[in-house]
Amino acid sequence: YLHCCDPAETGIDKNGEYDPSYKVGEFMRALELRWNTLFVPSQQLSLDETLLRAFGRMKFKVRIISKAARYGIKLYVACSL
């Protein structure tokens, strides 16, 4: 298994609210910094909406009947043409 956080963490942020993505938070921040340095957008950008198929219990999972993958995580992707 891949572990991205300290097992002693509880997922409570500074405001006292639960963060459902706390287990991969550091990993996501590292990826975001890396992508920001590598991705240089051109003049033409496209915003795409996609559904990443996911199983399991999570608060941010959505259900869209019209998609092939009916349950998953909704993502918005900026694409350079």
Side-chain angles (χ1 to χ4, degrees):
Y1 294 105
L2 175 65
H3 293 277
C4 298
C5 73
D6 182 16
E9 288 186 28
T10 60
I12 306 298
D13 64 2
K14 295 174 187 173
N15 298 330
E17 296 179 11
Y18 178 72
D19 179 19
S21 64
Y22 78 96
K23 289 188 178 183
V24 292
E26 284 187 44
F27 185 65
M28 286 180 4
R29 283 187 288 278
L31 281 177
E32 185 179 358
L33 285 173
R34 186 74 172 156
W35 286 332
N36 285 338
T37 58
L38 294 177
F39 180 65
V40 180
S42 65
Q43 250 184 335
Q44 298 175 340
L45 287 178
S46 172
L47 184 64
D48 189 28
E49 175 183 300
T50 187
L51 187 69
L52 180 65
R53 189 173 185 180
F55 298 100
R57 295 181 300 181
M58 53 187 102
K59 291 188 177 199
F60 46 88
K61 185 168 68 170
V62 294
R63 178 179 177 232
I64 302 175
I65 301 284
S66 62
K67 299 279 187 178
R70 294 189 175 155
Y71 295 94
I73 302 168
K74 193 172 189 178
L75 300 174
Y76 294 96
V77 182
C79 305
S80 179
L81 300 178

